[in-house]
């Protein structure tokens, strides 16, 4: 198995940037678009160790549930990077376990992070069971390869979500999206934005209203950047303007991503998604969630079991270091909220569409 | 009639600042807290002519429907300020008409602006009819006095709204407010915040969740500043976080102001209010509008007739002057939206409470 050969980067659709990329072999490094700098500058951040990646995840230099999963898989490789190739296998496994536990503490809500780390651990455990006399060097190869597979699957998953969801993009109308569930949130062409990219490629005409998505403005900074680069008509709004647009019958559908989906279909996504889903119900606007199967957490029965990350108050007190509120004002800053399954028209996955998501049809699809 | 004597500033409750104040006599000037600088600095902006005031209104140095009304009344006085006292009455009336038309073009939605200008014009017309031989100097006195009356009435109106609405503030619970309908939006202690100030004075304990209110952050900059100065517990949130709080049963009631209320009770208020009113309906949270009778526009049957101001895209393209989105991204930036009367639990006015507002009980109260 030659890393970089079979699993060479294949983007089924080229948007002109790579959200993340591994450079080199087992002693290589992970490069991420530093999303804190967008849209002003597109710069790659080099991660040569798990600490840099951890910080990148916490500060949202890399974000989006699928992208965090892929990054974490490569993070395992970063943890093994300096281990001598002839080190004992056990030492490599211990080092991997330590790195996985460390990275798992970076963000609590998106389940793809834990999913990717588990998959890397399982691959390592399987290899160790089959090859107890092997040395660290081979495990590193195996794990780098597995990370590449995860990245490649992510790309294919995005494309499949796009194919499955593109018929939901109405020709000649406007849709709305929240936060960034685009290419920048994945290794591929995104989740919620993937159907838009494919519909655009097919020549459909539509406008995307983009919620700016306070407090960290992923909509304004990232989604608006992605869509306009691709030539898709985008209109930026503040999050509190969606209701007026729906009341004026200007929104034909809403597309959102997901950070974790419970067994019954309740969906955690960026703060503000809940509000949109309720407005959609009230104004009879279809509300679609687009997410890969790795976003489902069938171990929890419903959304009340999803841990919601609380972030620092300064994110709300201002923006980019500029304070706009009284000093030390108390702040409530949850990063996510949970949308009721009953308010979701359908979940678009790479394996197919789950209409009126509930425990039964989720299990059937997955 | 000695200006400044009978109508000396009387705040029934002293919050330690005056949103606006007239300095001197007929050749005096209007001073406004420059709300663009809050909460960092409290500075008064001097308006010596209608142009400065016009600019102050357009750029939201002074804002809030009642405060704009009071400021516009004084704006008429600014327009007559340099007219010689012995100028003919007709010249003064023409000058007044010109100033009124000019100021009326500053912002289209808040009806209090037009209401105040009309009232000043009516006062002048009445005086001219009664005293056809009078000179400009006396009309200036009359009009300055009328502006002082309007200001004083505004203060009393705020206090009356506070008294009428204070029983809606639940002891030991949390409420939510949007934008700034506080002292900074009036000459007195506010509209939506007035019940909070009085309830606080009575010793009630409650927390106010404050919507930051994008794009211009009147909640973060002004409401948070006002409430914390007064010792009221305030928690700042982004606009998109209200739904999660309501779902968690943390909001006992929502209080909003109004910029114009149609004959059937449909209410225009700061963009984002519509969304809150719908969430309140869905989560069975009482939704109160607090506004003086001057906010009602009985000439229009419903909210669809309220003109909605569209503001510059740059307000949405950035945050506090810092660009946060791709250059030249298209923007939709309405300053207001219209809440359905059916989603309003009650309108709190200085004349009493209008429960389940509709044409009949609105007419009965007014």
């Amino acid at each position: 198995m030659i890393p970089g050969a079979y699993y060479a980067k294949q983007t089924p659709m080229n948007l002109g940037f790579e959200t993340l990329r591994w450079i080199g072999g087992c002693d290589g490094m992970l490069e991420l678009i530093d999303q804190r700098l967008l849209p002003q500058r597109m710069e790659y951040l080099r991660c040569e160790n798990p600490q840099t990646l951890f910080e990148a995840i916490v500060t949202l230099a890399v974000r989006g549930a699928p992208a965090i999963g892929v990054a974490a898989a490569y993070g395992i490789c970063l943890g093994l990077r300096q281990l001598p190739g002839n080190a004992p296998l056990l030492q490599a496994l211990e080092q991997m376990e330590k790195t996985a536990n460390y990275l798992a503490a970076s963000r609590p809500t998106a389940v793809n992070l834990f999913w990717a780390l588990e998959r890397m651990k399982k691959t390592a455990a399987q290899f160790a069971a089959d090859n107890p006399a092997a040395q660290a060097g081979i495990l590193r190869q195996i794990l780098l390869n597995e990370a590449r597979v995860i990245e490649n699957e992510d790309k294919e998953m995005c494309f499949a979500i796009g194919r499955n969801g593109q018929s939901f993009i109405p020709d000649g109308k406007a849709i709305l999206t929240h936060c960034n569930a685009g290419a920048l949130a994945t290794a591929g062409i995104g989740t919620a934005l993937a159907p838009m990219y494919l519909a655009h490629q097919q020549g459909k005409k539509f406008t995307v209203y983009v919620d700016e998505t306070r407090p960290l403005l992923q909509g304004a900074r990232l989604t608006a950047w992605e869509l306009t680069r691709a030539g898709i008509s985008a209109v930026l709004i503040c999050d509190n303007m969606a209701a007026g647009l729906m009341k004026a019958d200007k929104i034909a559908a809403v597309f959102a991503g997901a950070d974790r989906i419970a067994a019954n279909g309740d969906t955690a996504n960026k703060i503000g998604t809940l509000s949109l889903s309720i407005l959609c119900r009230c104004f009879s606007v279809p509300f679609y969630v687009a997410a890969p199967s790795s976003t489902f957490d069938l171990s929890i029965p419903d959304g009340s079991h999803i841990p919601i990350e609380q972030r620092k108050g300064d994110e709300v007190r201002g923006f980019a270091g500029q304070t706009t509120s009284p000093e030390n004002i108390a702040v409530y800053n949850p990063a996510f909220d949970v949308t009721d399954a009953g308010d979701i028209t359908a979940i678009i996955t790479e394996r197919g569409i789950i209409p009126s998501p509930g425990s039964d049809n989720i299990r059937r699809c997955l």
Side-chain angles (χ1 to χ4, degrees), chain A:
Chain A
M1 213 174 298
I2 306 164
Y6 178 76
Y7 292 102
K9 306 277 187 296
Q10 312 168 353
T11 320
M13 189 178 175
N14 187 2
L15 294 173
F17 61 89
E18 289 173 301
T19 299
L20 43 73
R21 59 190 181 202
W22 182 267
I23 305 290
C26 287
D27 55 353
M29 71 185 79
L30 183 63
E31 286 191 347
L32 312 161
I33 292 182
D34 188 340
Q35 301 191 26
R36 298 166 300 190
L37 307 178
L38 285 174
Q40 277 78 16
R41 298 199 306 283
M42 190 174 92
E43 276 180 26
Y44 281 86
L45 176 75
R46 293 183 155 197
C47 299
E48 302 189 13
N49 53 56
Q51 289 72 27
T52 314
L53 177 59
F54 182 94
E55 192 62 20
I57 295 174
V58 168
T59 61
L60 277 55
V62 61
R63 26 67 52 203
I68 291 174
V70 177
Y74 282 120
I76 295 292
C77 304
L78 292 177
L80 296 175
R81 190 169 165 263
Q82 298 208 323
L83 204 68
N86 60 0
L89 188 61
L90 198 66
Q91 192 184 343
L93 289 172
E94 275 170 5
Q95 180 66 25
M96 184 202 62
E97 189 72 28
K98 216 176 99 186
T99 305
N101 290 341
Y102 173 68
L103 291 174
S106 58
R107 295 194 74 189
T109 303
V111 77
N112 317 57
L113 170 65
F114 312 110
W115 169 87
L117 293 172
E118 277 310 307
R119 183 161 149 179
M120 294 295 279
K121 280 158 69 177
K122 212 179 265 179
T123 299
Q126 183 66 51
F127 174 79
D130 294 346
N131 307 276
Q135 289 182 320
I138 306 180
L139 181 65
R140 293 202 317 183
Q141 283 279 357
I142 294 292
L143 288 176
L144 177 59
N145 198 70
E146 185 67 9
R148 290 187 196 274
V149 171
I150 289 175
E151 180 189 348
N152 218 47
E153 283 177 5
D154 193 67
K155 287 179 179 171
E156 286 168 5
M157 167 278 288
C158 290
F159 200 68
I161 286 178
R163 271 197 314 261
N164 290 338
Q166 61 185 307
S167 67
F168 295 137
I169 308 285
D171 203 3
K173 297 200 172 169
I175 56 180
L176 186 147
T177 191
H178 189 66
C179 194
N180 175 268
L184 289 167
T186 64
I189 59 168
T191 54
L193 299 197
M196 303 178 199
Y197 285 123
L198 292 191
H200 177 67
Q201 203 178 37
Q202 287 160 16
K204 276 193 191 174
K205 301 275 176 236
F206 55 94
T207 291
V208 185
Y209 284 95
V210 178
D211 268 1
E212 64 173 0
T213 317
R214 276 284 287 158
L216 294 176
L217 302 171
Q218 292 92 336
R221 297 189 301 106
L222 310 179
T223 300
W225 181 81
E226 268 195 58
L227 291 178
T228 51
R229 263 177 72 105
I232 295 176
S233 160
V235 178
L236 184 63
I237 60 170
C238 298
D239 303 329
N240 61 24
M241 294 169 184
L245 284 169
M246 288 192 203
K247 190 179 180 186
D249 204 17
K250 285 186 178 161
I251 305 295
V254 170
F255 291 79
D259 289 80
R260 193 186 298 213
I261 305 175
N264 74 337
D266 287 353
T267 295
N269 190 46
K270 179 55 55 198
I271 187 76
T273 307
L274 169 64
S275 188
L276 279 177
S277 70
I278 292 170
L279 293 172
C280 279
R281 185 215 311 158
C282 292
F283 289 109
S284 302
V285 173
F287 179 83
Y288 300 107
V289 167
S293 51
S294 57
T295 306
F296 287 81
D297 180 358
L298 301 183
S299 75
I300 53 173
D302 60 53
S304 67
H305 297 265
I306 301 177
I308 299 296
E309 176 184 6
Q310 296 287 335
R311 293 183 62 86
K312 286 186 186 155
D314 281 347
E315 291 180 356
V316 176
R317 288 190 194 101
F319 187 82
Q322 197 168 359
T323 300
T324 50
S325 57
E327 226 178 320
N328 297 325
I329 180 89
V331 163
Y332 172 67
N333 184 21
F336 306 93
D337 53 26
V338 177
T339 292
D340 287 349
D343 286 335
I344 300 170
T345 308
I347 302 178
I348 306 164
T349 80
E350 81 280 19
R351 301 191 190 174
I353 306 294
I354 307 175
S356 309
S359 307
D360 286 348
N361 39 14
I362 287 175
R363 258 197 309 266
R364 206 172 302 130
C365 179
L366 300 183

